[in-house]
């Protein structure tokens, strides 16, 4: 079953630290197993923080990777990011083909 990707609005409303799955995986358009495999191989394009058995990511790192640094919370316009750009960038970062 394919899990729907997060919208830009959902990504912008995430707390300061988010779990690797489902938040980061869905934001990057990855399956759960792929997300955890890439994290285990240190191949995710975002630094992963281990908190005991949990793996989390700083939301600012996720925003930066997705090109959402200028969020509306900072007074800027709500950014838009084409899904093709995210998919191509993710594929290049993790070494897969789209």
């Amino acid at each position: 079953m394919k899990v729907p990707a997060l919208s830009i609005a959902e990504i912008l409303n995430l707390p300061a630290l988010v779990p690797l799955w489902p938040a980061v995986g869905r934001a990057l358009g990855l399956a759960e197993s792929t997300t955890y495999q890439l994290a285990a191989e240190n191949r995710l394009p975002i630094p992963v923080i281990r908190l005991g058995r949990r793996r989390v990511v700083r939301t600012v790192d996720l925003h930066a990777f997705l090109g959402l640094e200028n969020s509306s919370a900072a007074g800027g316009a709500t950014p838009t990011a084409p899904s093709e750009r995210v998919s191509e960038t993710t594929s290049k970062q993790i070494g897969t083909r789209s």
Side-chain angles (χ1 to χ4, degrees), residues 5 8 10 14 21 23 30 33 35 39-40 42 45 48 50-51 55 61-62 65 72 74 82 84 87-88 91 96:
I8 292 173
E10 290 172 315
L14 292 172
W21 183 261
L30 300 172
S33 60
T35 303
N42 201 25
V48 177
R50 292 198 65 139
L51 296 175
R55 293 182 197 149
D61 293 335
L62 179 61
F65 175 73
S72 57
E84 293 91 23
S87 296
E88 289 173 15
S91 296
T96 61

Side-chain angles (χ1 to χ4, degrees), residues 5-94:
L6 293 176
S7 69
I8 292 173
E10 290 172 315
I11 293 169
L12 290 173
N13 288 323
L14 292 172
L17 288 176
V18 292
L20 192 58
W21 183 261
V24 176
R26 287 183 56 204
L28 297 177
L30 300 172
E32 181 178 6
S33 60
T34 304
T35 303
Y36 282 113
Q37 182 67 36
L38 292 172
E41 296 172 357
N42 201 25
R43 292 179 47 212
L44 266 181
I46 303 165
V48 177
I49 302 166
R50 292 198 65 139
L51 296 175
R53 293 182 55 174
R54 294 180 55 213
R55 293 182 197 149
V56 296
V57 169
R58 294 180 337 149
T59 304
V60 294
D61 293 335
L62 179 61
H63 287 182
F65 175 73
L66 295 174
L68 302 175
E69 299 96 349
N70 300 324
S71 69
S72 57
T78 303
T80 57
S83 60
E84 293 91 23
R85 190 181 109 218
V86 172
S87 296
E88 289 173 15
T89 306
T90 303
S91 296
K92 288 177 188 174
Q93 290 286 333
I94 60 178

